[in-house]
Amino acid sequence: MSALEIHQIPVLSDNYVYLLRDVASGDTAVVDPSLSAPVLKAAADLGLRLTHVLNTHHHWDHTGGNLDIKDATGCKVVGALADADRIPGLDIALDDGEVFTLGASEAKVIMVPGHTSGHVAYWFQDASALFSGDTLFSLGCGRLFEGSAAQMWRSLRTLRELPDQTQVYCGHEYTLANAKFAISVDPDNEVLRTRLAEVEALRARRQPTVPSLMATERAANPFLRADDPALKARLGMGSADAARVFGEIRRRKDAF
Ligand code: ZN
Ligand code: FE
């Protein structure tokens, strides 16, 4: 039985970087290092030996620390094969469905294009942890910079299939703004109302709202609910297909 220790490091204005230590081996991966200095300091403070960088996508606020961390530690950089030419220092290029091994821990690579064309998520099944980057946020999803609404909807449907108890570790603390938008399109959703109250209380104390539970996201995140008949009816799109409904929710959020 593998065990994974997860440390969450807030950086920049609202990014989260994660340090993942496989307890059996001591091997430690850093997920989406925006910067090197706070990551190297946290690893030193915690006594962690960095062996890998795991990137979800090529944006600078997720890869900016790659090269310095690699220089300082000799670690290997892991990312999507589809983004092999855009991820700084990439050593290990993985495709959809392939497994990344960190000591005794394993993560399945899930291709989730939409925010960027080469975006991947990492699912550590035994640890019930999903690193979703800028694809799935708590109560939101990433903007469509390099993909279509249909593509992002397909990606989110894939993530939605993961078990209820999956903890969603996303790339940004955007939850309060997402919750305010979500309640505007789905005001009668009880799970969402409860989550909004919880998020307001956490943020008032400057505490993270991440990770969140997949079960909560599935029930409360409007971007995972584009095929829900009640939400479709509320948007006046009862007969539209889910990808179009998703596109409309994304368009409204962009203008919110
Ligand atoms: Zn991004
Ligand atoms: Fe980002």
Side-chain angles (χ1 to χ4, degrees):
M1 183 65 193
S2 67
L4 194 69
E5 195 179 277
I6 301 173
H7 302 272
Q8 185 164 359
I9 312 169
V11 300
L12 302 173
S13 57
D14 50 36
N15 277 76
Y16 285 126
V17 175
Y18 302 99
L19 290 169
L20 317 181
R21 175 175 163 263
D22 170 64
V23 173
S25 62
D27 288 1
T28 300
V30 55
V31 179
D32 283 354
S34 323
L35 307 165
S36 57
V39 169
L40 293 170
K41 181 177 187 314
D45 290 349
L46 294 161
L48 303 178
R49 183 171 51 83
L50 287 177
T51 55
H52 297 83
V53 168
L54 280 187
N55 291 130
T56 62
H57 66 296
H58 72 89
H59 285 158
W60 71 271
D61 63 314
H62 300 256
T63 59
N66 278 21
L67 295 179
D68 283 351
I69 292 170
K70 190 172 165 174
D71 270 359
T73 66
C75 73
K76 298 272 187 246
V77 176
V78 180
L81 177 61
D83 260 349
D85 55 346
R86 298 199 290 184
I87 292 186
L90 188 72
D91 296 297
I92 302 172
L94 298 174
D95 206 347
D96 187 46
E98 289 196 278
V99 171
F100 164 69
T101 302
L102 180 72
S105 298
E106 289 188 341
K108 188 174 164 193
V109 174
I110 306 174
M111 271 304 293
V112 284
H115 177 67
T116 63
S117 57
H119 200 302
V120 292
Y122 298 94
W123 179 39
F124 289 80
Q125 181 170 7
D126 288 352
S128 290
L130 175 73
F131 295 88
S132 61
D134 288 359
T135 297
L136 175 60
F137 294 127
S138 184
L139 303 180
C141 75
R143 287 178 186 260
L144 306 180
F145 289 124
E146 299 175 7
S148 67
Q151 204 174 27
M152 186 62 139
W153 170 240
R154 203 176 314 128
S155 294
L156 291 172
R157 261 175 26 214
T158 304
L159 297 183
R160 188 177 71 172
E161 295 304 313
L162 298 180
D164 276 359
Q165 76 276 13
T166 306
Q167 300 275 357
V168 180
Y169 292 87
C170 60
H172 292 269
E173 179 61 63
Y174 287 162
T175 317
L176 183 56
N178 288 341
K180 287 177 178 167
F181 169 73
I183 206 86
S184 78
V185 292
D186 197 11
D188 301 326
N189 183 325
E190 272 310 316
V191 180
L192 173 57
R193 292 160 72 103
T194 302
R195 175 72 172 146
L196 171 60
E198 175 187 83
V199 165
E200 283 176 329
L202 285 167
R203 294 313 290 159
R205 299 195 301 269
R206 296 178 178 277
Q207 288 177 1
T209 65
V210 176
S212 63
L213 267 185
M214 185 61 80
T216 307
E217 294 305 322
R218 203 183 292 121
N221 186 330
F223 295 98
L224 297 184
R225 290 165 43 72
D227 55 354
D228 179 86
L231 182 55
K232 287 169 74 170
R234 179 166 266 288
L235 293 167
M237 300 182 77
S239 59
D241 71 70
R244 279 201 47 225
V245 176
F246 172 82
E248 173 63 15
I249 300 171
R250 187 60 258 178
R251 195 191 59 73
R252 291 189 188 202
K253 174 68 167 69
D254 289 343
F256 188 69

